[in-house]
Amino acid sequence: MKLDIFLQQVPDGDGTWWQSLASGLQWTLLVALLAWIMAFALGSLVGVARTTDKRWLTRLGDTYVELFRNIPLLVQFFLWYFVVPGLIPSVKVWVTTLDPTQHQLVTAIVCLGFFTSARIAEQVRSGIQSLARGQRNAGYAVGLTQVQTYRFVLLPMAYRIIIPPLTSELMNLIKNTAVAYSIGLTELFFRTREMGEMTFRYFEAFAAATLIYIVISMAANRVMAFIERRVAVPGYIAGSH
Amino acid sequence: MGDLDFEIIGRALPYLAGGLRYTFQLTLVAATGGVIFGTLLAMARLSSFKPLALAAAGYVNLMRSIPLLLVIFWFYFMMPVLLQSLTGAERPPQIGAERSAYITFVMFEAAFFCEIMRAGIQSIAKGQAGAGYALGLNYWQVMGKIVLPQAFRNMLPILLTQSIILFQDVSLVSLLNVTDFVGAAVKVAQRDSRVVEMYLFVAVVYFVLCFALSAAVKRLQLRIAIVR
Amino acid sequence: MIAINNISKWYGGFRVLTDCSTAVAKGEVVVVCGPSGSGKSTLIKCVNALEPFQQGEITVDGVSVGAKDTDLPKLRARIGMVFQNFELFPHLSVMENLTLAQIKVLGRTPEAATAKGAALLERVGLAAHAAKFPGQLSGGQQQRVAIARALAMDPIAMLFDEPTSALDPEMINEVLDVMVDLAKEGMTMMVVTHEMGFARKVAHRVVFMDKGEIVEDAPKEDFFGKPRSERAQLFLSKILQH
């Protein structure tokens, strides 16, 4: 294995292979970050909806989760990239105003955002349901409205409880950004494959990508562990309630 | 909306069915092989022989922290080279993406099934294994006759749920130009420029299959819960 | 103050409350007792609408609990409730548990809410624990905080749902003492409990329930003297044996 390949110039690009991978990494991180924000917000809403006592709301939430969970991510990418603009004229018009990179970026964020939101919704729902029924009653009993009870009583504890599964969802999201390669987004995996094909140094390219993915995973894990420690409740033992 | 042509699907049906057959085959082989290797890996992870446990844990964590797509391409490009060095052949043997995918998915899924089986073994190992050893059984007898059958039965719903995820993940091999269900649809869609119809059809088929399979797993879970 | 008129409640096809009627006057202490599963906890939860009911009417200070247009949060804010399992908010400090609803529901300033909270903690003997979290307190201490949390809202009446059932025996008295003081100050109270000593000491009336029905509703002296129903006699003989 010769590392000098990373310092060689990309034939028709402006920079070395190392810089090419780094630029791919930036796209990966950007997509992951924006999709996570979207997924967290949407997933929280849907997860909460599934715990209310309104039947139609829980049904709607359940359907949402089933929809995104039972179609392969790759197919969902094709749906957002080809089918949605093909079916909805106004989206098509809007898409034509974007340059290809922007279109790929928006698609990747929206697709991964929805896909991940369904998984977060499932976690939020189970987190809220793991809290004792009495907590909801205690919130109501002191005069809080339903919204206030969720905001001040149920969600603060539910989020704390689900930090470990949310951590794996974040790692899954980062790994899933690689599927955006299928629509041509020049994220890390795209750049890795490109480097392999153009230099035939597959081993070096894949090894570098593997290392980078491991490092991001570990970093994400550390960040979540830090958050978990920061918000830990003194004296609270999970499951004792 | 007016110019959609769903008859295209009817004409392409035999070809698509061939792709779907490959998807099912790969899922079945990967699930079976993955459970077998995953169980061995789980036993290795729980082994008191530290180097073995560490090696197994390293393998599992590596597989779980990189994208499946990267694993697929690793195996596809590196397997011929590896086989060449193993067999001493002059040129790397051509095994093709279709066949390399079987090995890839068995090896990848083994890591995920390992974690499920490990949890299953740990959940019953303590008392049951002690009872087995007390009867004078050896490690392989205790594992094979007492611990693993129970662990497998307890974990069956989770193993099946993971297999449904696997069934969806198989679609990624289409990016290696393999004619699985999605691969077949992509080829038809591009040949006839009927992208919208084909991908909608694929999505609906996946949804119906996965939804029905998940519902069946849920029913099974209830049955097991009652039997217990 | 609290009027319960002909309440019936079903869980699906199963009837849990049958035609229950009773009342709690201002300043009155009513103890509700009965075997487990008799519906007493369900009944008290109907009073602040934590449990819906299908028939009958409950009014609190003239406001109908079951009416569609009733502002439930506003009504509940006026009724204090203490739960069997304390139900303090585990992620909030003791003081924050006391101030949350004061600020969010009553609109008090944080300073006023904290001053009120501090006075109540002093009163239940926990002034030193204001900064701690519920998980760091004993069960008896948590339940005293829960009482203080309810009192912080200046309730017109207090509901207690088996407040000592989840406590270790040595902690029961510290909670009962707080409740006795409260009763002596003239607080309107409806208390579901097995603590007959408490009933003897401060109750004005005792309501005995069995199988979802109110079997006996009598002044304390009559109830402990000579309960009319056989079921109440049986219950008393069992509970007073030890």
Side-chain angles (χ1 to χ4, degrees), chain C residues 46-49 53 57-60 63-67 70 72 75 79:
Chain C
C46 285
V47 174
N48 62 352
F53 47 89
E57 191 188 34
I58 297 178
T59 58
V60 176
V63 179
S64 168
V65 173
T70 299
L72 279 180
L75 178 70
I79 313 169

Side-chain angles (χ1 to χ4, degrees), chain B residues 178-204:
Chain B
V178 172
T179 312
D180 74 318
F181 186 43
V182 172
V186 169
K187 280 168 195 165
V188 175
Q190 283 171 354
R191 188 193 62 198
D192 301 347
S193 325
R194 285 292 171 189
V195 176
V196 173
E197 294 90 333
M198 285 315 296
Y199 293 158
L200 264 183
F201 175 70
V202 169
V204 169

